[in-house]
Structures are given as C-alpha cells and as structure tokens.
Amino acid sequence: MNGHLLLEILVAAIGAGTPFVYAALGELVTEKSGVLNLGVEGMMLVGAICGFIGMAKTGSLLVAVLAGMGAGMAMALIFGVLTLTLMANQVASGLALTIFGVGLSAFLGLTYTSIALPGVPALPIPWLSDIPVLGPLLFSHDILIYGSILLYAAISGFLYRTRAGLILRGLGEAPESAHALGYNVIGIRYLAVLFGGAMAGLAGVYLSVAYTPMWVEGMTAGRGWVSLALVVFATWRPSRVMLGAYLFGGITILQFHIQGFGIDIPSQLLSMLPYLATIAVLVLISRNRQTIRLHSPASLGIPYHPQS
Amino acid sequence: MKRHVTHLFTALCALACLVMVAGTASAADRLKVGFVYVSPIGDAGWTFQHDLGRREMEKNLAGRVETRYVEKVPEGPEAERVIRDLAKSGYDLIFTTSFGYMNPTLKVAKMFPGKYFEHATGYKLAKNVGTYMCRFYEGRYLSGIIAGRMSRTNQLGYVAAFPIPEVIRGINAFTLGARSVNPEARVKVIWVNSWFDPGKEREAAETLISQGADVITHHTDSTAPVLTAEEKGVYAIAYHSDMSKYGPRAQLTAVMHLYGKFYTDTARAVLNHTWKPKAVWSGIREGSIRLAPISPVVPEEVVALVEKTTKSIADGSFHPFHGPIRDQAGKVVVADGKTMSDRELLQMNYYVDGVLGSIPR
C-alpha cells in the first residue's frame, strides 16, 4: 500500500466519521446533563430531510443547516417535554422518538426522493492546504467537516474549561445538589437536550446534503445508534468520541480497500470490523474503573423533579 | 306534505340502491390487481421499476383492471398478513415483488384457491402461484461492453450487495461483456452486505475509484454509486433505473428491468381465463431488460456493437454465457460451443476469469 493510497483512506475516514462526530458530541452533552436520549437516529433522519428540503428550496447551505438543526431541536423538544416536564421514562421516550422520526422523515420526504442536489464543494484553506500530507488530510474538506472539528474544540473547552460546563457536569452527577445550590436543573437539562437534537439534526444534514447529496427513506442506516454507542464506549469524553468516530469511519473505509485488494477475508467478517475494532480500542483505553466512574454521569437516565 | 316527503325519501333510496347495484356490477367486470412492494416506491430502484410496470398495465388495460399497492412490506409474517388482506378484500391477482415473500405467498395462495398469485424471483410454483424474474445478466453483458471500451485504466468497479447467485451472475456477465472487447479489463468487487445503505455504497464506490477503477457499476438499491462517480469525475453504469439525472456526465447507460408487458399479459390471461402457473424468466427478447439511452460520450462504433449484440441476444443467436468460459483458476466451466443452461445459470457460485478477489463464503 503506497503512501498516496494511505492518505486517501485517511481523508475518506474523516468524511465517513463526521456524522458520528456531530451526533455523538451532541448526545454527549445531553448525557452529561444526566439525560439519556435514545432518539438520535430519529432526530438525525428528520434533520436530514429538513436540511435537504432547505437546500433544495433555497440552494443555500446556511438555510439547510439551520433547517436541519431546527428540526432536530423540535424533535428534541418533544423528548424534553415528555421526559423533563412530564417525567416519562427516558429509554421508552427515546425509542419512541426514533420510531416517530423514521416515519415523520419518510412522510416529509415523500416528494423529495427524485431531487438531486449539487453537493457541498470542498473548501481548501489557502496556504495550509498546500502542506504535503497534512494539507489534504486536514485542510481540504467541505465546511461541514471543519465545523465538526470546531465543534469538538468548543465542546471540550466548554465542558472542562468553563463554569457553565462545570455546572452541566455537576447536574449530571447530582441533580439534587445542583438544585440545592439554586440551579434550574430542568431548564439546563432542556438546553442540553435541545443542543443534542440540533447536533443530531446537523449530522443528518451532513449526510443528506454533503456526503450523499440525496434523500431516501432511512438513509442514516443506523448511524444514530452507532453514535449512541460511541458516547458510552468513549466513556463520555469528547477526545475519545472523536477517536472512536474516526476509527469507525476509517475502518469502514479500510475494510472496503481490503476487499478491493482481493485479500481473502470474508466480506461479512470485514463489515463487522468497524464495530469490533472501535469497541475493542475504546474499551481497552478506557478500562480503568476509576476513570469510568469519574466520567460517567451518575444520574444518567434517572428522572429528576425538583419537588420530589 | 308528510306523505310527499316519504315518497321522495323512498324514491331516493331506490335510486341509491340502483346506483349501488350498477356500481358493483361495473366493478365486478374489472379485475382487481394487488401489488406488494418491499421498499418505498421512490424515484429509482427495484420497487420503482415494479410500480412503472403496474402503471403501464393500468394504462394498457384501462377500464378492465383496477390496482392497489402496499409499499414497504417487510418480508416475513407481516407480508403474509398484507397478502391475505388483499386476497380477502377482493383482489384476484396479486403480485408479490420480493424474494422473501415466497413462503407467505404460497401459504396465502393455499387459503384462496380461486385467486391468482405471481411471485417475483422465487422458485416455488403451485396450482395458483406463478413466478417471474428478469434475465438481468443480458443487460449486464451489454453494459460490460460499454464499460470495457470506455475504461482507460482497464479497472472496472462493482459495488455489490450480497454474494448470492443472482448478483454473482451479474458480475460475471458484466466481466464477460467487458473482456469481449477489452481482454485487459479487470473487475473489482466490493461487497457492502446491504441492499440499501447510501453511505456505505458511496464509501465502496469511493474506494474502488481511489484504487484505480474508472467505471463504476452497482448491484445495490440507491443512487449513491452514480452520485459518487459524478462527483469524482469517472463513469458509472446504473442499475434498476435510469439515474442520469443523478450523474448526467457520469452515467454511460443503465441496466433497466421493465415489467409492464409481463403485468399486462398476466392480467389479460386472468381476464381471458387462460392463466396457468409458469416460471417466467424473460429478458431482452420479451422487452423485460433494456439499456437506458447510451451517453453521447460513447463512440458510435461501440453503440453499434451494443445494438448488434442486443439484436443477437434477442433472436437467440448469441448468449452471454456461451463457451469457452473459464473461471478464475483457468478451469473451463463452459466448453467451447456450449451454452450454459438456465439451471446452471441459477446456481452460479464462482467468478469467471477477469474478476479480482474471491467470493465471500
């Protein structure tokens, strides 16, 4: 395998990993506040179709992104009302949200299956993209990929370097204490849930507008579920989420290359590889019990009501 | 006054009854035809082609048939319920258009001996169950000729779903077609282990392109491979439907399967009481397989060759699987002068010479 091909695999891995980056980082923020939203797949699909409609109607990427994020947030709001205000079970509500999203996106997209979009052009950064190896790897992508990397920086900074991030994490650990200290637990959790929805929507927009610029029912094909799993296996740490997302994307691409080279490994086994390798790597690097306890939000999935 | 009202009411009732009787009478003349689809109709792909066929039949037999379809019916117990519901609500001829409907179709057919069933791609017949499928490989061979001539790198990429004989037959026919005009041509196959996953199909196509393939074809259900070829500036051969609007520069042609004639003929046979259970395997000759308009970038002589080959497949003077054909190891699988039988075609489980890699087992 020559260097050129290796570089192409890495570049493709970033593209393939990006939907996971958006959706998993969004879900990470939601879960850090102590709320488990299993509706990522549904929010992603509704985001994908709304972003697609936005792009098809206006031709503006900004509109597409706003539409997708808005749609994801609207879906998340439903979840928020059910679980935060009405105290419904989070697991059941999240599953319901996914099923609802699958149907709703199919319905909204009824007349959009026949439209082809131009896609999103790559935006090489001047000077930087001319650096050998690093240039094509990091500085020759489309704007949504740059956005996902900025999002990572922003979320890591927010969670571990700001007071607001500390409050959010505290909320996920001990909502009673946060409440006793005078923080509006339900309000902050709403914001975290909405943020998760917006990011899942954006992941959908990336898929339907940039990655495979088209709309078809169920086009996320389980990527929402993979994102959810990534958050857990990355033990709620943004850097490991990134690692997991690119690893998953990279091994998906790599296994196709292995097939293309005619290396004699059954393709069924190869298609398991991204899952196996990602789980194995993340479990191995995060196997310290102490750090898992430290990073996993203690109140995850447990409804909290200030009066109770 | 009251009496008048009563009279009026009675008259209206009688009229309504009359209309209803007339209505049922005209409906009884019509053949009700049901369709069960495995995926949404969408704009391109497997189910879209079946629905095109349904619409064509409706047009051909206007006034004599009425149709209904049910989309997105999962294979398995749910399918049985849908098929039974159609049969119960008066549908006399039911087309079930996916392989996994085979046993549900047979089961329901047993319960409704007076109704007629046609199952696509299956292999089990019954007194009131026929089967039908298309000779996709004929179109694959033709598209292979174009791919073989248009490739500069002599590397053709194939995004494939599952290693079943149907898909392998297509890969082999495509390879034979390509190598009939370009003995240097090689076909690289990537299995995505999914009929439908646009993301994976894109990634597989991208991989093939980065490994040197400059013509991409696919045996999967989405338009993603064609879109990817368009984006990367290579050629594509679409499958199921004409996808030129997704790849106006990329698409050289598309292998399309058309069911309009078969559906019309079958419905007509039921109307004329001449229907018999048959295993229909139709291709270019019957108009079930056709190439989409060939892109203007393909040289005239290649188009002429494709047209000539199409004609000889149609009149039976040429068969894509006509010997000598060698497998990957160089062993002769079809001797010189021999043609593969339908039985052998249906069981194909090896790659011919020119395909790279091995079939996953």
Side-chain angles (χ1 to χ4, degrees):
Chain A
M1 195 188 295
N2 56 30
H4 174 70
L5 198 58
L6 187 67
L7 185 64
E8 273 197 44
I9 294 176
L10 291 174
V11 172
I14 291 184
T18 298
F20 305 115
V21 171
Y22 276 121
L25 284 178
E27 177 68 11
L28 182 133
V29 170
T30 303
E31 291 189 13
K32 273 289 185 192
S33 80
V35 182
L36 179 67
N37 184 355
L38 294 181
V40 180
E41 182 88 1
M43 300 190 295
M44 216 164 157
L45 274 169
V46 176
I49 180 58
C50 290
F52 188 90
I53 294 174
M55 190 73 175
K57 287 256 192 256
T58 65
S60 148
L61 183 62
L62 184 68
V63 173
V65 166
L66 291 177
M69 286 171 66
M73 282 167 84
M75 290 288 285
L77 186 64
I78 299 175
F79 177 81
V81 170
L82 286 174
T83 59
L84 298 176
T85 304
L86 302 173
M87 297 283 121
N89 179 299
Q90 292 179 7
V91 172
S93 308
L95 289 174
L97 193 69
T98 286
I99 297 167
F100 173 60
V102 170
L104 180 67
S105 61
F107 175 67
L108 290 174
L110 221 48
T111 54
Y112 288 90
T113 39
S114 58
I115 295 169
L117 288 183
V120 177
L123 202 74
I125 297 175
W127 306 105
L128 290 176
S129 61
D130 296 332
I131 307 172
V133 184
L134 279 183
L137 187 59
L138 295 176
F139 303 112
S140 310
H141 294 290
D142 63 55
I143 192 160
L144 287 171
I145 294 183
Y146 296 139
S148 69
I149 296 167
L150 291 180
L151 177 74
Y152 160 67
I155 286 181
S156 316
F158 167 78
L159 280 177
Y160 297 105
R161 301 249 184 286
T162 67
R163 193 175 164 73
L166 183 69
I167 295 167
L168 183 85
R169 285 188 290 140
L171 217 69
E173 293 300 331
E176 297 83 3
S177 316
H179 177 66
L181 285 172
Y183 293 113
N184 180 355
V185 174
I186 300 298
I188 298 172
R189 283 188 169 177
Y190 258 108
L191 291 180
V193 166
L194 288 179
F195 180 79
M199 290 306 113
L202 196 50
V205 174
Y206 173 76
L207 278 176
S208 69
V209 173
Y211 199 52
T212 44
M214 61 173 172
W215 166 253
V216 269
E217 277 188 59
M219 70 179 298
T220 51
R223 284 177 180 73
W225 297 110
V226 174
S227 308
L228 270 167
L230 275 178
V231 177
V232 177
F233 285 114
T235 56
W236 296 271
R237 271 184 280 185
S239 56
R240 299 211 169 158
V241 164
M242 293 298 273
L243 175 73
Y246 292 141
L247 198 65
F248 192 90
I251 293 178
T252 310
I253 302 288
L254 187 68
Q255 59 105 356
F256 287 138
H257 276 275
I258 292 175
Q259 282 195 47
F261 284 124
I263 298 169
D264 209 359
I265 305 173
S267 71
Q268 295 89 336
L269 190 74
L270 285 174
S271 35
M272 290 164 27
L273 213 57
Y275 301 89
L276 287 179
T278 310
I279 292 175
V281 169
L282 289 178
V283 166
L284 280 179
I285 61 170
S286 327
R287 68 182 185 286
N288 185 333
R289 264 213 206 127
Q290 214 75 59
T291 45
I292 295 178
R293 282 255 301 277
L294 199 66
H295 287 96
S296 60
S299 74
L300 184 62
I302 304 165
Y304 172 77
H305 200 268
Q307 268 95 58
S308 62
Chain B
M1 185 60 202
K2 202 174 172 191
R3 210 144 152 210
H4 281 260
V5 174
T6 324
H7 277 298
L8 193 67
F9 184 68
T10 323
L12 272 175
C13 277
L15 197 69
C17 286
L18 215 66
V19 170
M20 269 159 70
V21 169
T24 38
S26 74
D29 292 337
R30 286 191 187 176
L31 179 68
K32 287 171 88 176
V33 188
F35 288 82
V36 185
Y37 298 150
V38 72
S39 53
I41 293 171
D43 183 58
W46 174 256
T47 295
F48 180 75
Q49 295 304 114
H50 282 281
D51 199 59
L52 275 185
R54 179 189 66 84
R55 281 185 269 163
E56 195 183 317
M57 174 190 78
E58 247 184 356
K59 215 169 76 196
N60 289 344
L61 300 173
R64 301 182 63 194
V65 291
E66 64 178 78
T67 67
R68 200 186 127 193
Y69 60 83
V70 188
E71 294 175 275
K72 264 177 87 173
V73 179
E75 302 178 328
E78 179 71 5
E80 191 188 316
R81 189 188 61 76
V82 171
I83 301 167
R84 201 175 45 228
D85 278 356
L86 281 171
K88 245 197 326 217
S89 41
Y91 287 82
D92 302 306
L93 172 59
I94 296 168
F95 292 96
T96 55
T97 66
S98 188
F99 180 78
Y101 298 154
M102 181 157 71
N103 290 330
T105 305
L106 287 159
K107 220 165 141 191
V108 179
K110 224 177 202 168
M111 285 186 261
F112 294 89
K115 313 259 177 187
Y116 305 95
F117 298 83
E118 288 278 357
H119 173 232
T121 71
Y123 55 84
K124 284 188 193 160
L125 293 173
K127 252 196 348 242
N128 54 343
V129 182
T131 62
Y132 63 105
M133 60 196 258
C134 291
R135 295 181 186 270
F136 302 105
Y137 65 88
E138 295 179 345
R140 288 288 189 191
Y141 185 88
L142 297 172
S143 69
I145 296 178
I146 301 174
R149 285 301 291 271
M150 295 304 288
S151 172
R152 278 169 216 275
T153 61
N154 296 331
Q155 291 236 36
L156 313 175
Y158 210 115
V159 180
F162 290 101
I164 56 170
E166 161 88 46
V167 180
I168 292 167
R169 198 158 56 234
I171 295 170
N172 285 342
F174 181 74
T175 310
L176 290 172
R179 285 167 74 90
S180 72
V181 292
N182 178 359
E184 296 296 306
R186 297 271 187 282
V187 177
K188 233 175 214 187
V189 184
I190 288 189
W191 300 96
V192 288
N193 290 310
S194 168
W195 287 114
F196 179 85
D197 182 340
K200 270 194 188 160
E201 291 170 47
R202 179 206 155 97
E203 285 151 11
E206 222 176 15
T207 303
L208 288 164
I209 295 165
S210 69
Q211 291 192 2
D214 61 351
V215 183
I216 296 293
T217 188
H218 63 111
H219 195 145
T220 47
D221 230 3
S222 93
T223 51
V226 176
L227 272 169
T228 311
E230 178 80 10
E231 189 190 311
K232 302 276 169 189
V234 302
Y235 293 127
I237 285 166
Y239 189 52
H240 294 311
S241 311
D242 189 339
M243 299 181 182
S244 52
K245 81 177 152 204
Y246 299 95
R249 276 170 300 138
Q251 182 180 299
L252 295 172
T253 186
V255 178
M256 303 193 298
H257 39 112
L258 305 156
Y259 297 95
K261 186 167 177 304
F262 173 77
Y263 286 160
T264 309
D265 291 349
T266 311
R268 199 173 273 141
V270 172
L271 280 164
N272 299 340
H273 307 290
T274 56
W275 186 91
K276 278 188 181 62
K278 273 183 295 194
V280 175
W281 201 12
S282 56
I284 285 174
R285 185 204 311 241
E286 296 84 0
S288 302
I289 291 288
R290 200 167 64 206
L291 290 189
I294 297 173
S295 154
V297 300
V298 178
E300 215 132 295
E301 35 121 18
V302 181
V303 178
L305 177 63
V306 170
E307 272 165 11
K308 194 175 136 244
T309 316
T310 309
K311 274 205 195 86
S312 34
I313 292 177
D315 66 23
S317 60
F318 176 75
H319 191 288
F321 287 95
H322 180 79
I325 294 174
R326 289 169 191 283
D327 68 6
Q328 283 178 308
K331 201 180 97 203
V332 177
V333 279
V334 184
D336 196 1
K338 286 254 167 57
T339 296
M340 212 178 265
S341 69
D342 279 1
R343 206 185 147 75
E344 288 170 299
L345 280 171
L346 287 170
Q347 292 170 349
M348 194 173 289
N349 61 351
Y350 53 83
Y351 282 151
V352 297
D353 189 24
V355 186
L356 300 173
S358 56
I359 299 172
R361 292 181 203 284

